[in-house]
Amino acid sequence: METYDVIVVGAGTAGTLAAKTTANAGLKTLLVESKPREKVGDKVCGDALGDHHLKELNLGPPNNGAFENRIQGIKIFSPDEENVFTVENKDFRGVMLDRQLFGQWLLKKAIDAGASLLDSTMFLEPIIDKGVVRGIVARDKSGKKSKIKSRVVIDASGYFGVVRNKLPTEMGIEGKLANEDVEICYREIRQLDEEMENTDYCEIYLNQTNTPGGYMWIFPKKEGQVNAGLGVHMHGNYPSPKEIFYNHTLTKPIFLGSEIIKMGGGFDPTRRPIDKMVGNGVVLIGDAASLVNPIHGGGIGPSMKSGFYAGQAIIEALGKGKATEENLWSYSYKFMRSYGKVQASLDVFRRFLISTDDTELNYGMKNKLLTESDILKAGQGEDFDLKITDKARRVFRGIQRPHFLNKLRLTVKLMRHVKSHYEEYPEEPDDFENWRLKTVMLIDQARTKIQR
């Protein structure tokens, strides 16, 4: 039975960064990927990435054509499309990717660092001994099963969290996600008959009637191509996103005469991060840890950060001798107190948007009860409390919709409480359970108070 220091299940953006990080430190690292090598990176995605993520991770631009178009910001359209918010900021400036070429670039970086790859190999189950993950059971493309031992296993398998869902409940790590915390998406890459008038901005369309709990997007790529799709909240008897796409999205004039290049669907975990991301011998990263922006569903940047942070924690833990929960805890602590608190506060804001109908959104955007500045600050996880004079103006403008204004105020208050709570994420696992119970209480409070 072959033994590794680190096994990474999944060679996506999170997994490849984790593998690159641990392999660079001299740890014997194995990437296990269900796709064939040439398909790594091929994923249904919005394909947008903020520049700041690459800078923070000290990654230069790809040299294989993975960057297709530069983006200066986003345009957010009201449901009636009569009002448009333009949000421009360094955190919303970036690039559109050829997702597969970008994935291949990251994979090469991991392999060049010394990581090995087992492609076309399916993870079956973790090897667990006395409450510690000590490797995996996998099946290769010939159908042969094998046991592979390791000192730590990383779940980078995406939304389905194939390792996470087979961990014993005693580890205290969440398994299957609730439908209310997931969006189901459909997306097409299309070649337009004529290029978009303005290719500097990604476009997001809010519409609770057509895309309940989600939104539609049109993102410009290269040479007249666009990434267009939508997501809907998986709550109750939710509609088919593909049907909505064909009945509504493709009726826009820009799609007249367009042709399909690529199509597909998927799931997006739009919630706070998994509360506990490490256990004895195991670490969760990327979508497997629900590290996705709850508002716009972007997960490439956070997933790469999580892979890097997890890799650093594993290097430190194995340097101490064992990948125990306690020795790995620095990963959860670092992530939760940085991006985690932003994501959790946006989970609250997501619930505000879900509970707001089109009439309220049209009114709020038209009368600036919710402004571009608010959207920008919310997207960065910052407080957007207003000056007294601005508050007074908003109260006056919102007199016809007091419910909307009161709900917005409550949302801002709850976002602040959740953010403060995440700034107290425990430094040691012994204090975790009390923190988790308060987290559940705050999220339940947001659900009942905002969505009623």
Side-chain angles (χ1 to χ4, degrees), residues 192 194-199 201 203 218-220 224 226 254:
L192 301 182
E194 294 184 8
E195 191 168 62
M196 289 177 65
E197 185 176 333
N198 190 338
T199 60
Y201 296 90
E203 297 181 353
I218 302 175
F219 293 175
V226 295
I254 67 166

Side-chain angles (χ1 to χ4, degrees), residues 136-345:
I136 68 169
V137 179
R139 182 176 60 225
D140 65 21
K141 56 187 173 184
S142 71
K144 180 183 176 182
K145 290 184 182 180
S146 60
K147 292 183 178 181
I148 313 170
K149 293 189 70 176
S150 67
R151 300 167 73 187
V152 61
V153 172
I154 300 177
D155 188 353
S157 63
Y159 161 76
F160 291 102
V162 296
V163 180
R164 183 192 75 220
N165 282 318
K166 292 196 174 182
L167 295 175
T169 56
E170 306 86 74
M171 277 196 172
I173 294 175
E174 294 170 76
K176 183 175 173 58
L177 305 180
N179 279 1
E180 72 166 38
D181 292 329
V182 179
E183 283 189 6
I184 183 169
C185 306
Y186 179 77
R187 181 218 66 180
E188 292 185 357
I189 306 296
R190 282 194 163 249
Q191 178 67 55
L192 301 182
D193 193 42
E194 294 184 8
E195 191 168 62
M196 289 177 65
E197 185 176 333
N198 190 338
T199 60
D200 291 336
Y201 296 90
C202 290
E203 297 181 353
I204 289 178
Y205 295 80
L206 302 177
N207 193 304
Q208 293 284 36
T209 304
N210 294 337
T211 53
Y215 63 88
M216 180 186 77
W217 71 81
I218 302 175
F219 293 175
K221 291 171 73 69
K222 64 177 182 179
E223 300 171 350
Q225 295 178 13
V226 295
N227 179 319
L230 56 89
V232 300
H233 187 210
M234 285 179 60
H235 179 71
N237 189 24
Y238 57 88
S240 162
K242 184 174 181 178
E243 288 183 11
I244 299 170
F245 184 83
Y246 275 82
N247 291 336
H248 296 284
T249 306
L250 291 188
T251 61
K252 289 188 170 295
I254 67 166
F255 291 111
L256 184 64
S258 66
E259 297 180 355
I260 297 175
I261 297 174
K262 189 179 291 188
M263 60 191 289
F267 300 91
D268 217 5
T270 52
R271 50 156 279 169
R272 71 188 191 278
I274 295 290
D275 295 333
K276 185 180 180 185
M277 301 193 293
V278 302
N280 289 324
V282 66
V283 177
L284 314 181
I285 62 176
D287 285 11
S290 295
L291 305 183
V292 170
N293 185 298
I295 304 302
H296 57 63
I300 299 175
S303 72
M304 291 195 300
K305 284 183 182 178
S306 71
F308 178 65
Y309 290 165
Q312 288 182 318
I314 289 168
I315 294 165
E316 182 182 345
L318 295 184
K320 294 177 181 178
K322 291 183 179 180
T324 61
E325 178 179 287
E326 183 178 6
N327 286 345
L328 293 169
W329 197 259
S330 62
Y331 159 59
S332 285
Y333 176 77
K334 184 174 184 179
F335 197 91
M336 290 297 198
R337 290 208 176 190
S338 55
Y339 183 76
K341 67 181 181 184
V342 174
Q343 188 180 335
S345 67

Side-chain angles (χ1 to χ4, degrees), residues 11-18 43 99 102-103 106 299-301 303-305 307:
T13 51
T16 49
L17 256 292
K43 179 183 178 181
R99 187 66 175 77
F102 187 67
L106 291 177
I300 299 175
S303 72
M304 291 195 300
K305 284 183 182 178

